[in-house]
Amino acid sequence: MRSYSIQEINEVINGVIYGSTSQSITATEQLEKATTSEISFIGNKKYEKYWSASNASIAIVNEDISIEPGENRAFIKVKNADLAMSQILALFAQPTPIFRNDIHKTAIIDETAIIGEGAKIGAGCYIGPKAEIGAYAVIYPNVTILDESTVGINTIIWSGTVIRERCHIGNDCIIHPNATIGADGFGFRPCTEKGLVKIPQIGNVIIGNGVEIGANSCVDRGKFSSTILGDGCKIDNLVQIGHNSKLGKFCIMAGNSGLAGSVTLGNGVIIGGSASIKDHTTIGDGVVIGAGSGVTGDVPAGKTMLGYPAVEARDALKQWAILKRMVCATKK
């Protein structure tokens, strides 16, 4: 079991130690559950009240903390406790699953596929014709990568993922279990003779560098051209990205949110959980869409939107306050 003194921990995050403790730290834990050998953190002043009841010996805290650590306890003050804690979590992270052989004997790899130096491919994987796997990529068991698709350097693809034909994933990406990249877009048109006629989806998906896609999320291929995710986008579990949508750099989509077809997101857009965006809508740089909101039209850069249909946050809050007063008045 690995253990660290407070001085060794502080060498990693370069904070300022307040208080003192000789307790060695063997793990991380939230305040309410921490034992004396575990380190925790206080990322917001509203959680200060939980410190006195916690058994943690050390906490990573923001510089504006207003309480004292107490006897044989210590704080490490930093500018951003959340970011510092991410470094501490990396210290205690367990090793990833072991590959005893770089390429498992049960993996099926087409003879025309290109496998980069140091890449690892697990049991039961299928790598199709003319597919390319970048150097040091890790493909966990039971992944399917179809014809002419590419996976970048150092990218990690977890079990159950399907990457359909001609899709391209950049370097340093993480694709979590059972994600689907490049399924057909949802395209049908009514026909009096045939009912609903399927529109062929002949485009692909292009994913930039440093993108993370959560478990069971779907990124549909374009009807023509490409569905595009820019560098650094972070996609949560159970997210739907419709065909021909285009995400700028560093966008965030929380769980159960969705984009209909041909949605355009600028850079740094944040979409809350269960929010939905209408097709052919453009969302400007830095927009925040609140959880559960429904966006039915274009949104200029920098706005925060709430509600269904979504309006500017301050207008939504006023509407809710008026409605609440009206409901209360009817009860009198």
Side-chain angles (χ1 to χ4, degrees), residues 220-227 242-246 261-263:
D220 289 348
R221 68 195 311 107
K223 179 167 61 177
F224 31 69
S225 68
S226 303
T227 302
H243 61 90
N244 291 104
S245 289
K246 293 178 172 56
S262 299
V263 172

Side-chain angles (χ1 to χ4, degrees), residues 30-63:
Q30 62 191 64
L31 278 174
E32 298 93 321
K33 297 181 178 180
T35 66
T36 54
S37 63
E38 294 172 326
I39 187 171
S40 192
F41 81 113
I42 302 174
N44 189 296
K45 288 177 68 67
K46 67 181 180 181
Y47 298 115
E48 291 179 358
K49 60 187 177 182
Y50 299 115
W51 175 247
S52 61
S54 175
N55 291 318
S57 297
I58 304 171
I60 310 299
V61 300
N62 289 324
E63 293 175 338

Side-chain angles (χ1 to χ4, degrees), residues 28 30 44 54 74 162 191 226 238 247 254 258 274 282 286 312 332:
T28 58
Q30 62 191 64
N44 189 296
S54 175
V162 175
C191 172
S226 303
L238 296 167
L247 283 64
S274 298
T282 298
E312 286 196 56
K332 292 181 179 179

Side-chain angles (χ1 to χ4, degrees), residues 264 278-284 287 295-301 303 305:
T264 299
K278 181 183 177 292
D279 60 289
H280 297 274
T281 298
T282 298
I283 310 295
V287 166
V295 177
T296 58
D298 295 349
V299 180
K303 300 290 186 181
M305 308 292 286

Side-chain angles (χ1 to χ4, degrees), residues 36-281:
T36 54
S37 63
E38 294 172 326
I39 187 171
S40 192
F41 81 113
I42 302 174
N44 189 296
K45 288 177 68 67
K46 67 181 180 181
Y47 298 115
E48 291 179 358
K49 60 187 177 182
Y50 299 115
W51 175 247
S52 61
S54 175
N55 291 318
S57 297
I58 304 171
I60 310 299
V61 300
N62 289 324
E63 293 175 338
D64 63 352
I65 192 93
S66 60
I67 58 175
E68 297 296 324
E71 185 178 356
N72 197 30
R73 306 176 84 188
F75 292 150
I76 303 178
K77 292 188 178 183
V78 294
K79 289 184 177 180
N80 189 314
D82 290 315
L83 291 178
M85 199 62 191
S86 70
Q87 297 174 276
I88 302 305
L89 288 167
L91 280 180
F92 293 100
Q94 296 297 312
T96 55
I98 295 171
F99 281 76
R100 299 200 181 278
N101 300 292
D102 283 355
I103 299 178
H104 197 275
K105 63 182 180 180
T106 63
I108 298 173
I109 302 174
D110 189 88
E111 61 183 9
T112 62
I114 298 173
I115 309 300
E117 176 186 1
K120 299 181 187 299
I121 300 175
C125 290
Y126 174 79
I127 312 296
K130 298 183 181 179
E132 296 186 21
I133 308 300
Y136 308 106
V138 178
I139 314 298
Y140 282 101
N142 299 314
V143 167
T144 298
I145 300 173
L146 294 177
D147 311 29
E148 300 181 37
S149 289
T150 61
V151 173
I153 297 169
N154 292 320
T155 285
I156 298 170
I157 300 180
W158 286 92
S159 296
T161 294
V162 175
I163 300 170
R164 276 192 47 183
E165 63 277 14
R166 302 184 309 281
C167 293
H168 306 291
I169 299 175
N171 302 328
D172 302 302
C173 295
I174 302 174
I175 312 296
H176 288 281
N178 299 310
T180 300
I181 310 300
D184 284 359
F186 192 65
F188 300 90
R189 289 296 179 269
C191 172
T192 54
E193 292 82 16
K194 298 181 180 179
L196 292 174
V197 175
K198 182 176 176 65
I199 306 299
Q201 308 289 298
I202 64 172
N204 69 346
V205 174
I206 299 175
I207 294 175
N209 300 322
V211 173
E212 186 160 348
I213 296 178
N216 294 293
S217 288
C218 300
V219 183
D220 289 348
R221 68 195 311 107
K223 179 167 61 177
F224 31 69
S225 68
S226 303
T227 302
I228 298 173
L229 277 63
D231 294 348
C233 287
K234 308 300 180 186
I235 309 301
D236 198 358
N237 301 334
L238 296 167
V239 169
Q240 164 67 25
I241 298 177
H243 61 90
N244 291 104
S245 289
K246 293 178 172 56
L247 283 64
K249 295 181 178 180
F250 306 111
C251 295
I252 295 173
M253 294 184 64
N256 283 302
S257 61
L259 307 181
S262 299
V263 172
T264 299
L265 305 185
N267 297 323
V269 173
I270 298 174
I271 297 179
S274 298
S276 55
I277 315 298
K278 181 183 177 292
D279 60 289
H280 297 274
T281 298

